[in-house]
Amino acid sequence: MKQTRPTFAERLKEKYLTRSTYLSMTTVIVMFVAWEFVTATGLANKLFLPAPEAVWRAFIKAIVSGYQGNTLQTHVGVSLLRILVAFFAAVLVGIPLGILMGLNRDARALLSPIIEFYRPLPPLGLYTLLVMWLGIGEESKFALLFLAGLPGIIITTTQAIWSIPPIYARAAQALGAGSWDLIRHVYLPAAGPTILAGMRISLGFIYTVLVAAEIVAATAGIGWMIWDAAKFLLSDVVIMGLIVLGLTGVALDMAMRKIGDWLMPWEAKTKQ
């Protein structure tokens, strides 16, 4: 009997409309209904927790008319530029340092005190020093975001490289692999999933300090918009900004996972 190939719609449904997708959608719907309920019944003061439709109106107004001279698209674009530049810089610096520290005990002993010292420092305290050194322009903002994202990448990369069984490297060396071959074909593939997890965590840290980076001498940015609206008790704008910021973070995280599946197809197959 001839088997018919599934249509595009059937393949799409099989891939994305899974049990996990339905459960996630249920969570979002329940949260939205609860939000609507507490605002409609007066359980929450609308000055501090506006109704969903008020937040939606603030969203449309920010897109069409803008907020404080800039549209929502501009605010999001400015913040994403700062986030992505700092994140890619942290990746370019953090992964090589993590590999070096994972392979070399002396390098780990030299660099670990610096990373462990500044990693728990509060962003606002660190930002004051960066402003003194770099000024109130974009340099101090990029530096703060970069420093926020760097430790997560270095620590996870170091741990991933350190945890690789030495027999893998010895087997590759027995086949004639050099130092670069070991990094490219042994260490990075084996440590790739953990490094990707560290990159995702790092991106989250960068998001957590975005508002702090944008409160000084900024006139645009989603973090600045949230901070400025909070001063005037514009809770609808604040919540709208937080939702937009969260959605951009989810989108970037999904993009990173897709890139990880493309770069590490063997890891993606184990999840199926």
Side-chain angles (χ1 to χ4, degrees):
M1 183 177 179
K2 185 178 180 180
Q3 295 181 346
T4 59
R5 296 181 61 185
T7 63
F8 174 77
E10 290 172 342
R11 293 198 304 270
L12 191 66
K13 182 178 180 181
E14 180 181 356
K15 184 175 182 180
Y16 293 103
L17 297 184
T18 62
R19 176 180 174 85
S20 298
T21 302
Y22 284 120
L23 290 175
S24 298
M25 292 173 61
T26 300
T27 300
V28 174
I29 292 172
V30 169
M31 292 177 61
F32 180 82
V33 171
W35 180 12
E36 180 69 39
F37 175 78
V38 297
T39 54
T41 56
L43 293 175
N45 189 333
K46 292 187 177 182
L47 178 63
F48 303 109
L49 182 62
E53 53 268 25
V55 175
W56 175 254
R57 288 194 297 269
F59 175 73
I60 299 299
K61 182 179 179 181
I63 292 177
V64 177
S65 304
Y67 178 83
Q68 298 288 47
N70 290 297
T71 64
L72 180 61
Q73 300 91 307
T74 301
H75 288 298
V76 173
V78 169
S79 290
L80 284 180
L81 177 63
R82 291 166 177 158
I83 289 170
L84 291 176
V85 169
F87 175 69
F88 285 123
V91 169
L92 291 175
V93 174
I95 292 179
L97 281 180
I99 294 173
L100 177 64
M101 292 171 64
L103 296 176
N104 190 296
R105 291 178 179 269
D106 292 338
R108 186 163 62 254
L110 287 171
L111 297 175
S112 289
I114 300 174
I115 298 169
E116 294 299 333
F117 173 77
Y118 93 81
R119 182 171 61 90
L121 293 179
L124 285 177
L126 185 61
Y127 194 30
T128 54
L129 185 61
L130 292 175
V131 168
M132 292 171 57
W133 288 349
L134 303 175
I136 60 176
E138 292 296 316
E139 292 82 1
S140 58
K141 295 175 176 57
F142 285 126
L144 179 63
L145 298 177
F146 167 77
L147 291 175
L150 187 60
I153 296 177
I154 293 179
I155 292 172
T156 53
T157 303
T158 301
Q159 184 61 37
I161 297 295
W162 178 254
S163 301
I164 296 174
I167 192 172
Y168 292 171
R170 288 197 292 266
Q173 288 173 329
L175 296 174
S179 299
W180 172 244
D181 294 322
L182 288 176
I183 293 175
R184 183 181 178 185
H185 298 292
V186 177
Y187 293 121
L188 285 179
T194 305
I195 293 175
L196 179 63
M199 291 170 61
R200 294 172 60 190
I201 294 172
S202 169
L203 184 63
F205 284 146
I206 291 175
Y207 263 82
T208 60
V209 301
L210 179 66
V211 176
E214 293 185 340
I215 63 175
V216 176
T219 56
I222 193 73
W224 173 83
M225 185 185 74
I226 293 171
W227 177 264
D228 188 75
K231 293 188 296 185
F232 302 102
L233 292 181
L234 300 175
S235 56
D236 54 347
V237 177
V238 172
I239 294 176
M240 179 270 294
L242 290 172
I243 292 174
V244 171
L245 194 60
L247 290 176
T248 60
V250 170
L252 289 176
D253 186 75
M254 291 177 62
M256 289 176 59
R257 283 187 288 177
K258 290 297 181 183
I259 294 173
D261 292 341
W262 175 65
L263 292 175
M264 297 174 288
W266 62 89
E267 183 69 15
K269 290 180 180 179
T270 60
K271 301 175 183 177
Q272 296 177 354

